[in-house]
Amino acid sequence: MMDEISILHETFDDDVTTSPSPEAEQRARHALQNRITAPAPVRRRLSWWLSIPVAATAAAVVAVVVAGNVNGKGAPGPTTAGPALSAAPVAALPYLKPVSAAQVLENAAWTAEQEAWVNPAPTQFMYVETLEMRNKPGYEQKHPNGTLLPGKAEYRTIQEWNRIDGQVWASKRNGKLEVNHQGQNGGWKAFVPWSQVVKLTSSAVIDAYLEHPEGGVTAEPWALAGQYVLPPDVKAAIFRYLAQQPGVQVNPDAVNLDGRPAIALGEVIEGYLSRELLFDKDTYSLIGDRLVAVNDETAPNSSHHKKGDLLRQVIYRKMIIVDKAGDTD
């Protein structure tokens, strides 16, 4: 694989002057989702890397990007539930020098268990703020499946709010808060019910949930780890579940994410793409995700990807529970 640090240095670009149109954003995300995975034939399964509300007649797609302790500014206030965004854990990690994916994930599980947590009310929101690397809108509209272009791809700040009861979601576009309600104007967004989320406290329960989801909506554990503001015991259980899955490996190539050394942990899908969760090298907090080609491949839509091509890069900046849409702390 080509040098990832070189890729990231070339593609990090803060000169973002325009935002993509809603139509371009939807085409790009749907194209990537449709190429990598097909929707489940019976129940709605959410992909771990995409997020966009769609009409009731369209496929339900929800995205990746939520986790616990990342780049926050202090613990939640008196009316805020969620993980306290604190410094590195004070006690010893289970593995000081992990050498396997299972050991890295056990460290991540242990770190998650150290987070403070207050159960949120149904009317509170999961607030997720990320930096998502994207090609410029004009190019992305023409090449929704395209590799992130070195020197041209740019980071865009994404802010999303999802109410705990699943009935309201919101996002910011060009600085304006847009609030949506389930069923309003025919809109519908898939949520794993919170009553289901809080039960996922062991690998056995996660297996059972994937087979028989509550409410008919599932998300792969990869998606849950990066999409919901999870209770510490649920997040830890997901990491331990992933540690038991075949094919999950530590990527030996160095990754520098947002100025911090990161450990990439992933699995190969479609024979040529590695979907990876990125963990802080010191605290083992989940800090991002990416999608990178590990082999040359011509995709079904005839776009060609070379080994080392970066297709997705996301930094998790802030993931907390807030009282209302628009709140950021």
Side-chain angles (χ1 to χ4, degrees):
M1 184 179 294
M2 66 184 292
D3 179 24
E4 297 293 344
I5 295 179
S6 297
I7 294 175
L8 298 179
H9 279 308
E10 288 176 355
T11 52
F12 286 7
D13 182 0
D14 293 327
D15 183 21
V16 182
T17 57
T18 61
S19 296
S21 67
E23 294 77 13
E25 187 109 6
Q26 183 165 338
R27 279 196 298 273
R29 291 189 173 194
H30 275 303
L32 182 58
Q33 192 270 344
N34 289 335
R35 182 185 44 149
I36 297 175
T37 186
V42 177
R43 59 178 180 258
R44 301 178 179 89
R45 177 158 293 190
L46 313 184
S47 303
W48 73 278
W49 57 84
L50 303 173
S51 178
I52 186 167
V54 295
T57 56
V61 181
V62 180
V64 68
V65 281
V66 177
N69 265 347
V70 288
N71 281 3
K73 296 182 179 179
T79 61
T80 302
L85 301 176
S86 58
V90 295
L93 290 160
Y95 298 97
L96 296 180
K97 294 183 179 181
V99 296
S100 66
Q103 291 179 357
V104 170
L105 286 163
E106 181 57 35
N107 277 1
W110 184 91
T111 294
E113 290 173 332
Q114 310 313 305
E115 297 171 0
W117 179 260
V118 177
N119 290 326
T123 55
Q124 289 184 300
F125 287 76
M126 294 180 284
Y127 170 59
V128 178
E129 181 181 323
T130 61
L131 286 177
E132 183 173 337
M133 189 181 290
R134 303 281 289 275
N135 287 321
K136 292 185 183 297
Y139 182 89
E140 184 179 79
Q141 187 168 0
K142 294 179 181 179
H143 308 279
N145 288 332
T147 297
L148 296 173
L149 299 177
K152 295 182 180 180
E154 59 198 13
Y155 269 130
R156 302 177 198 168
T157 298
I158 308 297
Q159 294 174 281
E160 296 183 337
W161 293 261
N162 289 292
R163 205 164 76 179
I164 295 297
D165 64 5
Q167 296 304 301
V168 182
W169 69 93
S171 62
K172 273 196 174 181
R173 184 176 297 279
N174 297 323
K176 182 181 178 181
L177 183 67
E178 297 181 358
V179 180
N180 302 278
H181 297 260
Q182 293 286 30
Q184 185 181 52
N185 300 321
W188 186 84
K189 185 175 182 180
F191 289 92
V192 177
W194 189 253
S195 57
Q196 170 78 87
V197 170
V198 297
K199 296 174 184 175
L200 305 179
T201 57
S202 71
S203 295
V205 175
I206 292 172
D207 273 326
Y209 145 75
L210 291 173
E211 291 300 321
H212 304 286
E214 181 180 316
V217 179
T218 59
E220 298 289 348
W222 291 84
L224 285 172
Q227 175 185 330
Y228 281 57
V229 182
L230 298 172
D233 56 346
V234 173
K235 193 186 303 184
I238 286 174
F239 292 150
R240 291 183 174 120
Y241 172 86
L242 293 176
Q244 298 174 9
Q245 305 312 301
V248 178
Q249 298 180 347
V250 176
N251 188 327
D253 293 331
V255 178
N256 192 328
L257 186 66
D258 195 25
R260 293 174 289 173
I263 300 172
L265 204 69
E267 65 176 0
V268 176
I269 57 176
E270 297 298 314
Y272 75 104
L273 289 169
S274 178
R275 63 176 183 182
E276 299 175 344
L277 297 177
L278 304 175
F279 296 86
D280 183 274
K281 195 172 183 179
D282 295 322
T283 67
Y284 296 89
S285 295
L286 185 61
I287 60 174
D289 71 74
R290 67 176 183 172
L291 192 65
V292 61
V294 291
N295 294 302
D296 294 345
E297 182 73 8
T298 299
N301 63 356
S302 298
S303 62
H304 182 67
H305 298 291
K306 296 180 180 179
K307 182 178 179 179
D309 282 352
L310 190 62
L311 283 76
R312 172 180 167 87
Q313 180 78 47
V314 173
I315 297 172
Y316 307 159
R317 296 185 68 182
K318 202 171 193 180
M319 293 80 180
I320 59 174
I321 301 296
V322 296
D323 290 334
K324 63 181 184 296
D327 286 352
T328 59
D329 52 36

